[in-house]
Amino acid sequence: MLMDADDLVSNSLAAFVNQHEAEPGWYIDKGFEYFEGEGQLFPIRKRFYGKCGSSHIVRFDILEKIAQTTSLSDMHHRFLHHQDVRKFVEKQGFSLSPLPFSGAVYITNHGDNIWASQGVLLKRYGQTPKAFALFYLRKFFKAMASRKKNDALVQEYGIYDIAS
């Protein structure tokens, strides 16, 4: 599993993978987005792997087999663009399953995350009044659907504020 330094995984993940060691691997479909400094978690109920790079677990021997027929630059590109990892691995003949629980936390808004900082997101959505309205509407929706971090989530994912 490739991990970004600012992402956190469930403390149940290693035991689950060990109990299912014959499986080729998994993708994390469900997780949380944690808003740095705000103490809020937004549940991502589907396509977590499309937002967070720390979202695929592939058995090492399978990675070795793929590496025998794929250039290093192509593998680097495929795994860097994490939205495509599952499809890429499946095209190589291996099927990844969705992890059956919320597997990770994607920490955002801490200044080092180039894809999910508010300034970058505003630029990505555009500079029109409609784009600004949609950006803040999404932000409002996330705030309403989010929940405060609690002791159980802190313990399961090791949540902390990066600035601390």
Side-chain angles (χ1 to χ4, degrees):
M1 177 176 197
L2 301 174
M3 288 290 302
D4 291 340
D6 59 351
D7 297 329
L8 308 168
V9 297
S10 168
N11 62 8
S12 302
L13 188 61
F16 176 83
V17 171
N18 272 342
Q19 291 169 358
H20 300 89
E21 63 185 35
E23 296 293 321
W26 299 268
Y27 61 94
I28 299 176
D29 199 38
K30 299 177 289 190
F32 296 95
E33 181 179 352
Y34 177 67
F35 305 110
E36 167 72 15
E38 296 178 21
Q40 298 278 16
L41 289 123
F42 174 70
I44 299 172
R45 293 182 174 90
K46 62 181 178 177
R47 291 193 42 80
F48 180 85
Y49 60 90
K51 298 182 180 297
C52 179
S54 305
S55 55
H56 293 86
I57 304 158
V58 182
R59 244 183 29 227
F60 187 74
D61 63 312
I62 290 173
L63 288 175
E64 285 182 317
K65 288 177 185 174
I66 293 172
Q68 292 172 359
T69 59
T70 308
S71 72
L72 186 58
S73 65
D74 193 31
M75 282 193 64
H76 177 263
H77 174 77
R78 298 296 183 166
F79 281 87
L80 182 63
H81 294 94
H82 49 85
Q83 301 91 336
D84 300 328
V85 170
R86 182 173 62 127
K87 290 178 186 172
F88 173 67
V89 171
E90 286 176 354
K91 283 183 182 177
Q92 306 299 315
F94 304 98
S95 182
L96 302 180
S97 301
L99 195 68
F101 55 90
S102 293
V105 173
Y106 176 42
I107 302 175
T108 61
N109 204 34
H110 54 74
D112 291 329
N113 187 306
I114 57 173
W115 297 112
S117 67
Q118 289 189 26
V120 170
L121 287 172
L122 274 171
K123 287 179 186 173
R124 191 180 312 159
Y125 286 117
Q127 303 296 318
T128 66
K130 180 180 177 183
F132 277 106
L134 286 173
F135 173 80
Y136 284 106
L137 188 61
R138 283 185 187 100
K139 188 173 168 128
F140 175 75
F141 168 73
K142 279 186 172 182
M144 297 306 294
S146 295
R147 62 187 198 202
K148 284 265 188 214
K149 69 179 177 183
N150 58 40
D151 290 340
L153 290 168
V154 168
Q155 185 174 346
E156 180 172 355
Y157 296 99
I159 298 170
Y160 63 96
D161 286 324
I162 292 174
S164 300

